[in-house]
Amino acid sequence: MAPPRREVKRSGSIVPCFLFVELGILGGTAALAYQLEFTDAFPVHEGGFFCRDPQYGRPYPGPPSSSRAPPALVYTLVTSVPVLTIVLGELLGQLRGGRGGRDPPIVWGECCYLRAPLRRLLRFLGVFSFGLLATAIFANAGQVVTGTPAPHFLTVCRPNYSALGCAPPTPNDPPHFVPPGGTPCAGDPPLVTAARRAFPCKEAALGAYAGVYAGLYVTLAWRGGGSRLAKPAAVLGFAAPPFLLGALRVAEHRHRWGDVLAGLAAGGGRRRLPDPLWTLQ
């Protein structure tokens, strides 16, 4: 008896939709994230401050590249760790049980097959990439709109207190408030602008998003078997680094705990894997 012929779906729109719609949306999101991060297309809000405010007078910790967790390392890890986790999980799933085998391949035109495992992998990676860029946009937009000073703001601002009318502090007189506008800072303008982008902590937001997405993938998409502690240990391994990264940002006087917690909440909010998940297994 001949084996049953496997069902094949034909679609003339799946590849054009992927190329011109989904990649277009992803490219536009990446362009917006780049504009918010690396250009001055969206000027940072410049608010006022109190003279000699101790919460903004911490020592300058140096450029971001001198941090124990520089941005290049953070961006590399939040991108590569979930991607490698997903790719490894899909490969192991195919080797163990043919994950996605119930979904028939899709034929585009007369030559090209888009098989279920590849569709599943692209679906996971596409959703992750879009969410990571959206998290970066949200964090950068919050920094631009609020213009919240970093703990070392006054150190890099170097205001001329005499010219601003800031009298020496006394126990009976409240601190003088410097209103927004003018040029109250004599420090390096790029450093001053960067010191106004503290809320929310973008590194914490990106780390939380990557950790939550990878944790959800391990919890919901990896098949059971072996030790019962494997999944909880993996999820804990993804959840701990964002919190430690936020603590490091606070210890280096680059952010306050409120900035870090807001970043963790923004990046670690409710995330969804591609639906319906059970059709992908």
Side-chain angles (χ1 to χ4, degrees):
M1 180 177 180
R5 187 176 181 181
R6 190 176 183 184
E7 180 186 358
V8 175
K9 292 183 179 180
R10 293 187 176 273
S11 174
S13 62
I14 184 170
V15 173
C17 180
F18 174 75
L19 292 177
F20 299 109
V21 178
E22 297 184 0
L23 286 185
I25 294 175
L26 196 61
T29 306
L32 180 57
Y34 178 86
Q35 292 290 325
L36 286 167
E37 174 75 15
F38 299 106
T39 70
D40 56 355
F42 301 92
V44 180
H45 172 71
E46 297 183 1
F49 57 89
F50 287 97
C51 297
R52 302 181 180 88
D53 193 337
Q55 65 176 333
Y56 300 133
R58 299 291 185 177
Y60 176 53
S65 59
S66 66
S67 172
R68 284 177 286 178
L73 176 62
V74 174
Y75 297 159
T76 300
L77 291 178
V78 300
T79 304
S80 62
V81 171
V83 169
L84 292 176
T85 301
I86 293 171
V87 172
L88 180 61
E90 293 305 299
L91 290 177
L92 292 177
Q94 286 299 309
L95 293 176
R96 294 183 59 182
R99 182 177 289 173
R102 291 182 297 177
D103 291 340
I106 295 179
V107 180
W108 179 68
E110 299 297 332
C111 64
C112 304
Y113 282 80
L114 188 60
R115 300 188 181 276
L118 180 58
R119 299 204 315 269
R120 175 185 171 98
L121 181 63
L122 292 177
R123 210 175 299 175
F124 278 123
L125 294 180
V127 172
F128 168 72
S129 301
F130 178 79
L132 188 68
L133 291 172
T135 302
I137 290 174
F138 181 84
N140 281 316
Q143 293 176 351
V144 168
V145 171
T146 61
T148 303
H152 61 273
F153 170 73
L154 292 180
T155 305
V156 300
C157 176
R158 293 190 295 157
N160 188 334
Y161 290 120
S162 299
L164 295 174
C166 298
T170 60
N172 297 326
D173 295 331
H176 179 73
F177 180 75
V178 179
T183 55
C185 295
D188 189 10
L191 293 180
V192 175
T193 301
R196 290 184 181 274
R197 303 185 58 161
F199 181 90
C201 178
K202 181 181 59 183
E203 289 77 9
L206 295 178
Y209 172 80
V212 168
Y213 193 93
L216 282 176
Y217 175 81
V218 169
T219 302
L220 301 178
W222 277 14
R223 291 185 175 180
S227 174
R228 295 182 180 271
L229 296 178
K231 286 186 178 181
V235 172
L236 179 61
F238 292 129
F243 179 81
L244 296 178
L245 175 61
L248 176 62
R249 305 292 294 185
V250 174
E252 292 182 341
H253 307 307
R254 300 181 187 274
H255 293 275
R256 294 184 304 275
W257 273 112
D259 308 328
V260 170
L261 293 177
L264 293 175
R270 184 174 182 269
R271 298 287 181 249
R272 296 178 63 186
L273 295 178
D275 290 332
L277 183 63
W278 51 87
T279 65
L280 302 176
Q281 296 181 350

